């Protein structure tokens, strides 16, 4: 479906800015595992901003100044306290690390089934995308990471 959570790019941009400028009070690691964990934690703290991929890049004006920064700072504190690897060690290069959007995974399967059962609902791609974006914008975001096929947050959370 042609939607995305615009908040993901806003958070990634803020994490990149903090990494480049240095996070105040963050003495933790910036390895790929810790960085993607910071992104996942910050996104879980923020409201989603799903929209069609053809209308993205307009969401920045919808977010109160400082909201994303506050979420990233909170995520930095959590990763500093509870990193996913031993302090001073780096995860091996062969580790595959990815961000996973559990809410999207569950929502996309439910919307297709719900529209198929509706007598009045259209199930074209645009209607499916709009319905999914509408539903996901009203449900709390749940993000996690996948490391070598293992998920860090169970989808039922």
């Amino acid at each position: 479906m042609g939607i995305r959570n615009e908040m993901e790019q806003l958070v990634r941009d803020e994490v990149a800015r903090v990494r480049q400028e240095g996070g105040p009070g963050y003495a933790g690691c910036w390895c790929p595992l810790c960085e993607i964990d910071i992104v996942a934690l910050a996104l879980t703290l923020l409201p989603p901003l799903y929209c069609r991929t053809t209308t993205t890049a307009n969401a920045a004006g919808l977010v109160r100044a400082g909201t994303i920064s506050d979420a990233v700072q909170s995520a930095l504190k959590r990763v500093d306290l509870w990193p996913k690897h031993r302090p001073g060690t780096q995860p091996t290069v062969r580790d595959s690390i990815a961000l996973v959007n559990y809410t999207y995974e569950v929502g996309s399967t439910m919307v297709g089934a719900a529209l198929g059962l509706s007598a009045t609902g259209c199930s074209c791609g645009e209607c499916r995308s709009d319905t999914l974006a509408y539903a996901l914008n009203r449900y709390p975001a749940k993000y996690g990471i996948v490391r070598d096929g293992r998920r860090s947050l169970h989808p039922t959370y």
Side-chain angles (χ1 to χ4, degrees), residues 23-133:
Y26 181 67
C29 176
W30 282 105
C31 72
L33 178 60
C34 289
E35 187 170 348
I36 202 79
D37 200 26
I38 292 165
V39 171
L41 288 167
L43 283 167
T44 298
L45 294 171
L46 292 164
L49 287 171
Y50 287 93
C51 58
R52 285 190 195 163
T53 53
T54 57
T55 59
T56 58
N58 298 320
L62 301 173
V63 181
R64 183 181 56 84
T67 302
I68 296 171
S69 178
D70 292 345
V72 169
Q73 291 303 316
S74 178
L76 286 169
K77 289 176 186 172
R78 285 187 64 185
V79 170
D80 198 20
L81 288 172
W82 300 291
K84 292 205 181 313
H85 59 83
R86 274 192 239 139
T89 64
Q90 294 278 332
T92 59
V93 178
R94 65 176 169 76
D95 288 350
S96 70
I97 303 165
L99 182 69
V100 63
N101 181 341
Y102 291 112
T103 311
Y104 180 85
E105 284 182 357
V106 172
S108 62
T109 59
M110 293 176 74
V111 164
L115 284 178
L117 297 174
S118 173
T120 58
C122 176
S123 60
C124 74
E126 283 188 23
C127 290
R128 288 172 57 109
S129 295
D130 287 346
T131 304
L132 181 58

